[in-house]
Amino acid sequence: MSIQTIGVIGAGQMGNGIAHVFAQAGFQVLMQDISEAFTQKGLATIDKNLQRGVDKGKMSAEEKTAVLGRVKLTTRLEDLADCDLVIEAATEKWEVKKLIFETLDAACKPGTILASNTSSISITKLAAVTKRPEAFIGMHFMNPVPVMQLIEVIRGLATSEATFEAVMELSRKLGKTPIPCNDFPGFVSNRVLMPMINEAIYALYEGVASVESIDGIMKLGMNHPMGPLALADFIGLDSCLFILNVLREGLGDPKYRPCPLLIKYVDAGWLGKKSGRGFYDYAKA
Ligand SMILES: CC(=O)CC(=O)SCCNC(=O)CCNC(=O)[C@H](O)C(C)(C)COP(=O)(O)OP(=O)(O)OC[C@H]1O[C@@H](n2cnc3c(N)ncnc32)[C@H](O)[C@@H]1OP(=O)(O)O
Ligand SMILES: NC(=O)C1=CN([C@@H]2O[C@H](COP(=O)(O)OP(=O)(O)OC[C@H]3O[C@@H](n4cnc5c(N)ncnc54)[C@H](OP(=O)(O)O)[C@@H]3O)[C@@H](O)[C@H]2O)C=CC1
């Protein structure tokens, strides 16, 4: 299966990162979002992140222009009909993703592989809204996409061996390391990460230590690149809450219950870095 053209749905923090790494690896990319303002903003972020490489002498200005030239923009899902693989990185909402995959399934050519970058929604359930569950797979990139080595490759119940092998090979062509896992709530990454983040929020809620102390202890003590509260802000507190609810409902175990402080922050619109306020105040930064 030869994959050359890639569709990316969503030009947000994950979508533009995914478009970036595919274009940098030489693929033609068509990035879609619901408005032109979002696709333009996504492209501007790719430009800014590529410039980091130019500034450090890791990439020439000509190479950067060539990479950017491989990213085309659209607001119409139907324009992705001829892509060999479409990867969805839209908002983490079942109804949003369901509609996207129903539309893509009807529009795309028979051989197109459909992939989701979802953090926690069941790949098997998403695949079932299409008539091609064998060509459906989870391709879970980590944030920030251009920097992180892992792609968690999630097989749905019906994912074929051919689809799985094609996506493993494609991930290696990006210079990433794909690691497979099966489709259960939170997969491996978020099943292990989110309870740690939630426990850090409980530690804050119960007055065990300050934000700075909790993050400092985990950074220096465990050699983590970021403390769990800074990481939660980076991922998005709404995303963390959504994933914890998926874990609690999907695994039926109250140990995954989200901390009331996390719920309160999300209710307040304190969503972390993207909203300017979370456990840290980014307006001050
Ligand atoms: C929720 C989910 O479903 C799954 C998830 O994604 S969970 C989240 C997983 N991600 C993590 O755990 C990230 C943890 N944090 C880190 O690894 C690091 O703090 C970090 C990579 C984000 C930043 O690292 P840092 O050393 O503090 O900062 P910085 O020096 O600015 O960046 C390191 C390098 O990455 C580059 N970089 C950082 N962000 C970048 C971006 N968005 N795009 C491109 N390059 C980027 C920098 O240019 C720098 O490059 P060089 O090594 O070539 O100099
Ligand atoms: N944040 C993280 O650390 C990680 C997130 N993920 C997953 O990646 C996906 C995207 O997350 P993230 O990038 O953080 O979210 P963002 O909110 O940054 O980006 C989502 C983008 O999708 C757009 N969008 C919403 N509805 C549609 C639609 N119907 N069609 C096309 N685009 C749409 C949004 O537009 P608008 O702003 O108008 O809603 C936004 O631009 C989620 O499934 C998330 O769980 C995976 C790994 C890590």
Side-chain angles (χ1 to χ4, degrees), residues 26 60 68 75 94 98 113 116 132 177 224 237 243 263 273:
S60 69
L68 282 173
T75 55
W94 164 253
K98 179 174 180 279
I113 293 177
S116 178
R132 58 179 92 197
T177 304
H224 289 186
L237 300 190
I243 298 165
I263 298 171
K273 211 169 170 188

Side-chain angles (χ1 to χ4, degrees), residues 12-224:
Q13 62 175 340
M14 295 305 290
N16 74 61
I18 293 167
H20 172 149
V21 295
F22 273 109
Q24 195 163 341
F27 293 89
Q28 294 297 330
V29 179
L30 189 51
M31 182 166 73
Q32 185 270 350
D33 205 308
I34 44 185
S35 83
E36 208 185 318
F38 292 132
T39 54
Q40 288 294 352
K41 193 169 166 220
L43 190 65
T45 304
I46 299 175
D47 189 334
K48 190 184 82 193
N49 284 330
L50 285 169
Q51 189 59 39
R52 293 168 186 255
V54 176
D55 293 344
K56 288 179 197 140
K58 292 182 176 174
M59 176 184 275
S60 69
E62 292 72 30
E63 279 170 317
K64 182 188 126 176
T65 307
V67 173
L68 282 173
R70 287 195 281 275
V71 183
K72 302 281 182 285
L73 308 176
T74 181
T75 55
R76 285 169 35 90
L77 275 178
E78 290 75 12
D79 288 347
L80 280 69
D82 290 328
C83 290
D84 300 318
L85 176 136
V86 179
I87 171 153
E88 169 277 320
T91 313
E92 187 78 341
K93 287 189 182 138
W94 164 253
E95 288 305 329
V96 170
K97 293 190 191 289
K98 179 174 180 279
L99 187 61
I100 287 172
F101 282 118
E102 283 169 349
T103 311
L104 282 175
D105 187 37
C108 289
K109 63 183 182 183
T112 304
I113 293 177
L114 300 179
S116 178
N117 182 55
T118 179
S119 295
S120 58
I121 295 174
S122 164
I123 296 301
T124 306
K125 194 171 162 189
L126 283 172
V129 309
T130 74
K131 293 190 179 68
R132 58 179 92 197
E134 72 292 344
F136 199 103
I137 196 160
M139 217 177 160
H140 188 202
F141 290 80
M142 300 292 124
N143 187 12
V145 180
V147 181
M148 304 297 284
Q149 189 60 35
L150 175 70
I151 301 177
E152 191 177 34
V153 177
I154 305 119
R155 294 181 206 237
L157 198 57
T159 306
S160 71
E161 201 54 29
T163 300
F164 172 72
E165 287 304 338
V167 165
M168 293 293 282
E169 190 191 327
L170 181 69
S171 303
R172 289 187 201 101
K173 283 189 184 157
L174 295 178
K176 305 278 186 199
T177 304
I179 304 187
C181 79
N182 289 322
D183 184 28
F184 285 99
F187 319 129
V188 171
S189 54
N190 282 319
R191 185 163 177 170
V192 177
L193 176 64
M194 286 303 152
M196 182 191 72
I197 286 177
N198 200 34
E199 204 56 39
I201 304 171
Y202 267 110
L204 178 68
Y205 177 64
E206 291 169 8
V208 180
S210 66
V211 169
E212 291 74 16
S213 292
I214 292 167
D215 275 357
I217 287 166
M218 295 304 290
K219 270 180 76 171
L220 296 179
M222 319 303 152
N223 226 2
H224 289 186

